Amino acid sequence: MQSGGLDTDGTRYKSADDMWREQASSPFDTACWYQKGIDYWDKVEASVDGVLGGFGTISPNDLKHSKSFLLDVFGEQLEKSASSLVAADCGAGVGRITKGLLSHYFTEVDVIEPVRHFLSKAEESLSSSSSTCKCNFLLKGLQEVEERPGRYDVVWIQWCIGHLTDEDCVEFLKVCSRSLKPEGVVVVKENNARRGFVLDKQDSSVTRSDSYLVQLFNKAGLKVTTSRLETDLPEGLFAVRAYALVPQTRFFA
Ligand SMILES: C[S@@+](CC[C@H](N)C(=O)[O-])C[C@H]1O[C@@H](n2cnc3c(N)ncnc32)[C@H](O)[C@@H]1O
């Protein structure tokens, strides 16, 4: 990626490639990059407020926006499906999205999260709910997820893809794409930098611009069918955009 960017200390990078060379140029550096992310979240309280960086109050509106997006991009299939519907909640934190959205529409959800105390909290919170949805809890980073051909109707990836390096992000999206059912959809909901990227050295994450994200989606062979900004967020936060993605090859079949 040629676009320049910043880190949270104000250091400028000429290009994302330069930044990645510094952060994750060898397998050792890449392992350190992921470990730093886990170490950061390990110290954060296992609660909605914790996973949302102290902005837990935005969760109800965020879930409302997500529900409307899900119904727009997958509502028809939700209505007509006679068989079981399976979703993945990626980088699921304490299971906020499964509890507040996915468990209402899907018969089964794979809750995937690499931080143990978040996953335990998700398990506790989802098993005490009255929902009939079956949840499977997987302690994994997205860079370790393996392909499960034809398993998912919807793969939901929210506020966690910034933890992946560009290379792993593209590989992970390919895994998601190959794991979809024929009419399945990948949803990425993510912060957007105004331009280029912003590197957060504290939690090992990169906030990418809209065009940077779209380039990664395209590299993974995915096409954006719908994207929508989340409005009514508090001032001073990054813009948040939801993307519905489907394999490009579907258009040429
Ligand atoms: C801002 S929280 C969002 C949690 C959840 N998606 C939500 O919206 O409530 C970021 C999450 O990404 C997880 N995370 C960190 N590194 C990750 C990785 N390599 N793969 C997947 N998730 C990761 C963190 O543990 C944390 O749960």
Side-chain angles (χ1 to χ4, degrees):
M1 300 290 156
Q2 287 315 307
S3 46
L6 288 175
D7 68 21
T8 39
D9 300 330
T11 307
R12 290 193 170 276
Y13 298 83
K14 270 198 225 129
S15 70
D17 293 338
D18 278 0
M19 181 273 289
W20 286 121
R21 258 192 296 281
E22 202 175 289
Q23 303 303 317
S25 58
S26 69
F28 174 77
D29 291 336
T30 308
C32 289
W33 166 268
Y34 287 118
Q35 192 53 49
K36 219 167 140 192
I38 301 297
D39 291 347
Y40 172 86
W41 288 108
D42 259 339
K43 295 189 201 85
V44 171
E45 185 189 81
S47 65
V48 169
D49 210 40
V51 295
L52 296 187
F55 286 95
T57 51
I58 68 170
S59 185
N61 269 349
D62 170 64
L63 290 168
K64 210 161 100 191
H65 174 269
S66 295
K67 175 179 171 182
S68 139
F69 191 74
L70 174 69
L71 295 180
D72 283 355
V73 302
F74 201 70
E76 233 175 88
Q77 286 91 316
L78 287 176
E79 261 176 36
K80 73 179 185 208
S81 175
S83 59
S84 64
L85 289 158
V86 183
D89 182 357
C90 299
V94 295
R96 181 184 72 88
I97 299 161
T98 296
K99 187 162 190 176
L101 177 70
L102 302 175
S103 64
H104 303 181
Y105 295 99
F106 295 87
T107 22
E108 191 172 343
V109 180
D110 288 347
V111 179
I112 306 168
E113 163 61 45
V115 171
R116 194 176 291 277
H117 77 136
F118 286 173
L119 196 68
S120 303
K121 189 70 183 188
E123 195 161 358
E124 182 191 313
S125 142
L126 289 159
S127 49
S128 67
S129 99
S130 57
S131 165
T132 53
C133 173
K134 176 179 187 287
C135 293
N136 310 304
F137 298 92
L138 302 147
L139 186 70
K140 262 181 204 284
L142 300 183
Q143 69 281 7
E144 300 156 332
V145 168
E146 281 161 18
E147 138 184 2
R148 301 190 67 180
R151 174 163 174 76
Y152 298 113
D153 295 280
V154 170
V155 176
W156 197 278
I157 308 161
Q158 180 164 352
W159 283 328
C160 56
I161 212 165
H163 283 292
L164 298 188
T165 63
D166 284 358
E167 211 178 319
D168 286 345
C169 180
V170 170
E171 281 315 304
F172 168 65
L173 290 170
K174 285 183 184 168
V175 165
C176 294
S177 176
R178 292 195 288 257
S179 302
L180 289 177
K181 288 183 187 165
E183 295 194 12
V185 178
V186 174
V187 174
V188 173
K189 192 166 176 185
E190 200 42 77
N191 290 348
N192 280 177
R194 239 182 293 163
R195 66 184 77 85
F197 60 87
V198 180
L199 163 69
D200 187 331
K201 285 184 152 176
Q202 213 194 346
D203 69 1
S204 274
S205 73
V206 171
T207 302
R208 300 171 171 103
S209 66
D210 174 47
S211 68
Y212 191 154
L213 283 168
V214 172
Q215 283 182 64
L216 295 181
F217 301 154
N218 293 340
K219 265 190 154 179
L222 290 164
K223 183 185 166 75
V224 179
T225 56
T226 313
S227 72
R228 187 173 306 154
L229 273 175
E230 176 161 340
T231 48
D232 68 26
L233 286 168
E235 293 271 307
L237 297 184
F238 284 113
V240 175
R241 196 184 303 264
Y243 304 86
L245 309 170
V246 300
Q248 283 162 356
T249 47
R250 233 191 245 178
F251 287 84
F252 304 115

